[in-house]
Amino acid sequence: MSGAKAEDRARVKALVVDRLDQAGMARKRGVPAAAHEATMGRICERLAYMSDDNLMTLAETLIDSAPDGVWPSEIVIQQFARSLQEPPPAERRIVSSWLASIEGPKAEAGGHLVELYRWLLKHPRPPLAMDLREIRDQAVENARRCELTRDRIDRETASPEDRVWLEQYLRDRDAARALVDAGRGRKDEEGTAA
């Protein structure tokens, strides 16, 4: 485990897990100590992306919302966490694994990588055939909008909204490509190790 990841886990432990323990939060009846500790470990891992302020807010929210003084479920903690701060795309397993698989390069070659990336962020599940049609249709529309916006920028007639839209599209493209490249890198390493 990298040092930075260990530090992030330690922050979650100190700001959330330890804070709730100090407040007197008890594990659920019938849950063995080892199972509770494993859950705390997963929570520290999954919430490592959060800022200190949001972790402290999360701890206070969980304390305030547990009148019985019993630890909420892992699902509840994650829902509260996401309402405070969404995990970055690379931390969302469906996004990173899907784009790092064969599907990412296929989407890149097909011209719908950004739209697939955005779709996976919005719908945390693999796309179905009808979803892929929608993704491809959106890609055609977005390609046209990119071309028009670049033309407006060249003619100095682009609105601030046009520029913001294109900048966000390009940021999403770069983020999606980074996930695809990470998948290619892992495959290359595996091929070299074999």
Side-chain angles (χ1 to χ4, degrees), residues 9-21:
R9 287 174 50 106
R11 281 184 322 104
V12 178
K13 183 171 183 334
L15 298 174
V16 178
V17 175
D18 293 349
R19 175 68 186 99
L20 270 64
D21 283 341

Side-chain angles (χ1 to χ4, degrees), residues 155-169:
R155 291 183 292 121
E156 299 181 3
T157 60
S159 69
E161 292 80 18
D162 287 336
R163 292 176 186 274
V164 167
W165 182 88
L166 183 59
E167 288 169 8
Q168 183 60 54
Y169 188 86

Side-chain angles (χ1 to χ4, degrees), residues 19-54:
R19 175 68 186 99
L20 270 64
D21 283 341
Q22 291 163 2
M25 198 75 70
R27 70 175 189 258
K28 285 187 181 173
R29 187 185 319 237
V31 174
H36 179 75
E37 287 305 313
T39 300
M40 296 305 105
R42 284 191 305 275
I43 288 169
C44 290
E45 181 73 29
R46 292 213 171 120
L47 303 185
Y49 69 90
M50 294 182 74
S51 70
D52 287 356
D53 285 343
N54 283 335

Side-chain angles (χ1 to χ4, degrees), residues 16-124:
V16 178
V17 175
D18 293 349
R19 175 68 186 99
L20 270 64
D21 283 341
Q22 291 163 2
M25 198 75 70
R27 70 175 189 258
K28 285 187 181 173
R29 187 185 319 237
V31 174
H36 179 75
E37 287 305 313
T39 300
M40 296 305 105
R42 284 191 305 275
I43 288 169
C44 290
E45 181 73 29
R46 292 213 171 120
L47 303 185
Y49 69 90
M50 294 182 74
S51 70
D52 287 356
D53 285 343
N54 283 335
L55 288 169
M56 290 186 284
T57 301
L58 175 63
E60 295 305 315
T61 302
L62 292 170
I63 291 167
D64 292 344
S65 65
D68 57 357
V70 174
W71 271 90
S73 72
E74 186 174 351
I75 292 170
V76 168
I77 293 170
Q78 286 184 39
Q79 287 172 340
F80 275 113
R82 285 186 75 147
S83 71
L84 290 169
Q85 183 180 346
E86 284 285 334
E91 296 281 328
R92 298 184 194 174
R93 192 156 301 168
I94 184 68
V95 178
S96 61
S97 68
W98 195 262
L99 294 182
S101 75
I102 194 170
E103 298 302 327
K106 279 174 40 180
E108 189 172 27
H112 59 274
L113 179 62
V114 173
E115 292 72 22
L116 175 61
Y117 170 80
R118 289 176 169 179
W119 191 92
L120 289 167
L121 287 173
K122 188 175 179 182
H123 307 64

